[in-house]
Amino acid sequence: MDQIDAVRTPASWVVVGLDNGGTCNNATVLDATGQFLVDRLVENPSRVQDGPESAVESLAEAFTGILAMTSTPLSLVRAVGLDTPGPASADGVISSKGSTNFSQVSWHGFDIRGALQARIGLPVIYHNDANAAALYAHHRHFGADAAKRSSVAAIVGTGLGGGVVESGKVISGAAGMAGELGHVQIPLHGVLEDGQPVPVCNCGFEGDVESIASLTGIAKNLLPYWFTRFPDHPLAAEPIASAAKMLRGYGEKEDPLALAVFAQQARAVGKLFTIAANFTDPAAYFLGGGVVEAAPHFRQWFLNTVREHTQLRREQQAAATFALVPDLDMAGARGAAVAALEAVSV
């Protein structure tokens, strides 16, 4: 567990937030007044590749570690919020087909929420990682008015995660799969170039948002086309997966090929937000993921491009805002903690 200097001991009861990732867990503590006790990333190895038993034990270690770091007695903890990458049910059962981080057969259909709850002996409230980040962005942006507001968030990473928040609460859906915004199919007019192949998602859909606005979409669909337009580009000599990861650095330097790719991603997210505008009419549109971790001028350009390609009516333009997900590396754990606080405050 990382050591941190700025910690605050709790004045009342608390909840803990745990963000599970492919390599690390991140932990935080939120007290009953809505104040976080730590102000930076606190990690330990997640060990998900070692299987469920090791991974759950690592989550338990993250839990006890953050309590020790913040001088929080176990008796003050009322609940734990947990988020993991999806797909998983609303109750925290990993998909029967596994997922990117949970590919081993032993993970298929595994109840990670229930296993952690049994291990630590406290209620565990579950969200997927994109929903948790969306929830944190919503509460951070609206503050005391969060329960009166709605928002939609698109988290652009290896895939495209999302979250729909209504009246301050994440919409999970009947099967726990609401907010899977990456697999919303969008109109491609104005997104693709003439003659550009229709992008295909790993889920099998053609022309969904993730097939364009994701690291996977860059490698699988966008770069192969744009290399035909820029055959002498330095990245054309790199393995495609490496080139995709290096592309953001070129974008920050305003490289023409990189800007062409990221402009298509931004336009695709704009199409998604246009659908959201006509479906939920949210008060805020949040953008998160790797692009938020980029240089400030580049991420602002990307957000501006998304905004320019989101078609809103005049009344909606006056009522809605566009913003970046704050504290991205901590957003998952903090969102999971917010969900736990809401669950025990009812």
Side-chain angles (χ1 to χ4, degrees):
M1 183 75 69
D2 292 348
Q3 296 298 312
I4 60 175
D5 299 321
V7 297
R8 183 171 61 82
T9 55
S12 59
W13 60 269
V14 304
V15 295
V16 171
L18 298 177
D19 170 51
N20 169 263
T23 57
C24 292
N25 298 315
N26 177 30
T28 193
V29 180
L30 179 64
D31 73 14
T33 69
Q35 299 296 310
F36 288 98
L37 304 194
V38 293
D39 63 0
R40 65 196 73 176
L41 197 65
V42 182
E43 296 182 309
N44 76 320
S46 63
R47 296 192 289 172
V48 295
Q49 296 304 318
D50 295 336
E53 184 176 342
S54 296
V56 170
E57 190 60 32
S58 287
L59 284 167
E61 291 168 3
F63 172 71
T64 56
I66 200 68
L67 295 186
M69 186 171 292
T70 56
S71 301
T72 303
L74 178 62
S75 59
L76 293 186
V77 183
R78 291 197 177 179
V80 174
L82 169 67
D83 79 74
T84 76
S89 74
D91 294 325
V93 178
I94 304 301
S95 167
S96 60
K97 295 183 179 179
S99 73
T100 301
N101 285 351
F102 307 110
S103 57
Q104 295 170 315
V105 174
S106 56
W107 278 111
H108 295 188
F110 182 77
D111 181 3
I112 190 170
R113 186 206 63 82
L116 180 62
Q117 181 167 284
R119 171 63 179 80
I120 63 178
L122 285 165
V124 175
I125 290 82
Y126 177 83
H127 281 300
N128 71 43
D129 54 358
N131 281 348
L135 185 63
Y136 175 62
H138 181 93
H139 281 261
R140 172 72 182 274
H141 185 82
F142 290 114
D145 288 334
K148 305 174 185 177
R149 305 292 183 181
S150 60
S151 65
V152 170
I155 314 297
V156 185
T158 303
L160 188 138
V164 179
V165 178
E166 185 65 42
S167 299
K169 297 186 181 299
V170 171
I171 302 299
S172 58
M177 296 182 180
E180 289 289 345
L181 303 183
H183 304 299
V184 173
Q185 291 169 298
I186 57 172
L188 298 178
H189 176 73
V191 176
L192 302 183
E193 298 284 296
D194 291 341
Q196 186 173 359
V198 173
V200 179
C201 183
N202 282 349
C203 76
F205 283 177
E206 292 186 345
D208 65 11
V209 189
E210 185 173 300
S211 69
I212 300 169
S214 66
L215 183 64
T216 302
I218 290 176
K220 184 176 181 178
N221 299 307
L222 303 189
L223 275 184
Y225 168 75
W226 284 103
F227 281 154
T228 67
R229 302 285 298 272
F230 294 84
D232 298 324
H233 194 280
L235 288 180
E238 300 286 339
I240 195 72
S242 299
K245 292 178 180 178
M246 297 167 65
L247 190 66
R248 190 177 69 193
Y250 280 81
E252 291 173 336
K253 299 174 184 176
E254 300 184 356
D255 173 80
L257 179 148
L259 291 183
V261 170
F262 286 114
Q264 289 195 313
Q265 291 199 322
R267 293 198 293 268
V269 175
K271 294 282 190 181
L272 171 68
F273 283 168
T274 300
I275 293 172
N278 289 283
F279 198 76
T280 68
D281 189 25
Y285 301 84
F286 295 116
L287 180 69
V291 69
V292 176
E293 300 171 350
H297 73 277
F298 177 76
R299 67 192 185 205
Q300 191 60 51
W301 166 82
F302 193 91
L303 181 63
N304 290 345
T305 306
V306 169
R307 183 191 291 114
E308 291 167 7
H309 289 85
T310 302
Q311 297 175 318
L312 302 180
R313 295 175 176 84
R314 184 171 55 192
E315 298 89 340
Q316 292 174 314
Q317 291 175 344
T321 58
F322 287 74
L324 299 171
V325 174
D327 305 327
L328 186 66
D329 54 359
M330 297 186 291
R334 288 189 164 192
V338 168
L341 184 65
E342 289 181 338
V344 298
S345 298
V346 175

